[in-house]
C-alpha cells in the first residue's frame, strides 16, 4: 500500500512482528479468496473505485489502472485487421454449453495473426464492443483459465509457437478480459483440429482459410526468406 511499517511500529520488536504476521496472514487470505472467486466478488470493483478516488494513498495505482485503461481504449476503437473481439474462450452463448468450435475459433484467429502481420484478441468482449468478462466460461479460477489456453495451444498449434504468443488476464472493475498478443511467425503455422491441419491468414478484418494454389502462392511470398 506504499506505507512504511517502521513508522507504524510500537517500538517493541516482538509485538511488532506478531502484528505484522497477523496482518500478512489476513492480506494473504484475502488475496487467495480474491484470486479464486474474483469473478463473483464485487470487492474488486469497490477497491478499484476507492483507489481511483484516493490516488495519493496507493503508490501501486498506476500498475492497476494503466492496463485496464489500455483495454478500454482498445475496445472503444473497435475491431480492425489486427484486433478482434471474442465473447468467450470455450462457451457457446446460445446453448450455454462448452463448445469445441468456440475454442477453435479463437485458435484460428491466433494462427491467422501469426501467419500474417500479427494482432491481438480480446476475449471477454462481445461483438458490440461491450466488456462482458469471462464469467460464462466458468473456470474455477484465473490460473485454470490460462492453463486451459496453454493446453489448447500445445494440442492444436504446437508448443514451438509459444514464443510468438503472449497472453494475460486484466481486471476491469469486477470482470476480467483475456488479452492475447500474437506476433508474425517465421515459420508456417497450422491449426490441427484433430482431423486436418489447416492454414489461416488475416484478410482484412476477417480470418480466411487457404488451400491449393492460393496456399502455395501465399507461402512462397510470405515465407520465401525462410
Amino acid at each position: 500500500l506504499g506505507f512504511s511499517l517502521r513508522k507504524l511500529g510500537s517500538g517493541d520488536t516482538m509485538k511488532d512482528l506478531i502484528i505484522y504476521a497477523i496482518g500478512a496472514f489476513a492480506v494473504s487470505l484475502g488475496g487467495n479468496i480474491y484470486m479464486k472467486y474474483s469473478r463473483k466478488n464485487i470487492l474488486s470493483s469497490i477497491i478499484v473505485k476507492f483507489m481511483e478516488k484516493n490516488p495519493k494513498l496507493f503508490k501501486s495505482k498506476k500498475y492497476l489502472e494503466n492496463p485496464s485503461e489500455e483495454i478500454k481504449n482498445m475496445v472503444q476503437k473497435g475491431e480492425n485487421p489486427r484486433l478482434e473481439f471474442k465473447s468467450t474462450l470455450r462457451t457457446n452463448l446460445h446453448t450455454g454449453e462448452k463448445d469445441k468450435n468456440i475454442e477453435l475459433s479463437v485458435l484460428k484467429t491466433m494462427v491467422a495473426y501469426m501467419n500474417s502481420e500479427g494482432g491481438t484478441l480480446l476475449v471477454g468482449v462481445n461483438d458490440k464492443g461491450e466488456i462482458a468478462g469471462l464469467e460464462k466460461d466458468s473456470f474455477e479460477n484465473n490460473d485454470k483459465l490460462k492453463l486451459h489456453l496453454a493446453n489448447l495451444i500445445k494440442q492444436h498449434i504446437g508448443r514451438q509457437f509459444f514464443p510468438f504468443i503472449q497472453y494475460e488476464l486484466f481486471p476491469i472493475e469486477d470482470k476480467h478480459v483475456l488479452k492475447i498478443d500474437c506476433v508474425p511467425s517465421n515459420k508456417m503455422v497450422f491449426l490441427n483440429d484433430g482431423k486436418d491441419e489447416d492454414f489461416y491468414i488475416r484478410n482484412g478484418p476477417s480470418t480466411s482459410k487457404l488451400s491449393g494454389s492460393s496456399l502455395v502462392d501465399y507461402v512462397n511470398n510470405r515465407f520465401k526468406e525462410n
Side-chain angles (χ1 to χ4, degrees):
L1 301 179
F3 298 123
S4 173
L5 292 179
R6 291 182 179 179
K7 294 180 181 180
L8 299 177
S10 65
D12 186 325
T13 303
M14 184 57 68
K15 183 186 296 185
D16 290 345
L17 288 174
I18 294 174
I19 293 173
Y20 299 158
I22 294 173
F25 175 78
V27 172
S28 298
L29 179 61
N32 182 60
I33 293 173
Y34 172 80
M35 292 299 293
K36 292 185 67 174
Y37 305 107
S38 57
R39 298 194 317 268
K40 303 176 183 179
N41 196 345
I42 63 173
L43 180 61
S44 58
S45 61
I46 296 175
I47 292 174
V48 170
K49 290 178 181 178
F50 179 78
M51 293 179 71
E52 289 175 347
K53 293 179 180 180
N54 302 274
K56 294 182 179 180
L57 294 178
F58 299 91
K59 293 181 179 180
S60 60
K61 176 178 182 292
K62 61 180 180 180
Y63 298 112
L64 294 179
E65 182 181 49
N66 289 347
S68 298
E69 290 301 319
E70 178 187 358
I71 298 295
K72 290 180 181 179
N73 291 334
M74 293 175 68
V75 171
Q76 289 177 357
K77 293 178 181 178
E79 294 180 297
N80 59 59
R82 299 186 66 178
L83 176 64
E84 185 165 318
F85 302 154
K86 298 288 186 183
S87 297
T88 63
L89 179 61
R90 67 178 182 182
T91 301
N92 186 319
L93 295 180
H94 297 291
T95 65
E97 302 292 333
K98 298 175 185 177
D99 190 335
K100 202 71 176 179
N101 290 324
I102 300 298
E103 295 175 337
L104 291 176
S105 177
V106 172
L107 297 173
K108 285 178 184 177
T109 305
M110 294 170 61
V111 167
Y113 280 143
M114 287 187 283
N115 282 326
S116 305
E117 297 179 356
T120 299
L121 287 87
L122 295 180
V123 185
V125 181
N126 63 29
D127 293 335
K128 297 179 181 180
E130 299 170 338
I131 298 175
L134 296 163
E135 287 77 9
K136 296 293 184 180
D137 279 321
S138 301
F139 284 97
E140 184 178 344
N141 54 51
N142 293 336
D143 287 338
K144 291 291 180 65
L145 187 153
K146 290 190 283 188
L147 178 61
H148 183 74
L149 177 59
N151 289 333
L152 288 177
I153 296 171
K154 292 177 187 176
Q155 180 181 356
H156 296 286
I157 298 177
R159 65 176 67 245
Q160 67 271 29
F161 293 104
F162 271 118
F164 303 96
I165 304 168
Q166 289 187 337
Y167 54 90
E168 188 54 76
L169 281 162
F170 292 95
I172 299 181
E173 296 182 349
D174 60 338
K175 301 175 182 177
H176 286 84
V177 170
L178 177 64
K179 182 172 180 279
I180 307 174
D181 292 308
C182 302
V183 299
S185 171
N186 57 0
K187 297 180 180 179
M188 294 178 288
V189 186
F190 290 86
L191 177 65
N192 184 345
D193 64 1
K195 299 178 181 178
D196 302 301
E197 288 190 335
D198 297 318
F199 187 89
Y200 295 92
I201 64 167
R202 289 295 284 183
N203 184 11
S206 62
T207 295
S208 300
K209 177 181 175 181
L210 293 186
S211 60
S213 59
S214 297
L215 171 58
V216 174
D217 290 342
Y218 184 86
V219 169
N220 286 337
N221 284 289
R222 167 68 170 79
F223 301 99
K224 61 183 178 179
E225 295 182 358
N226 300 312

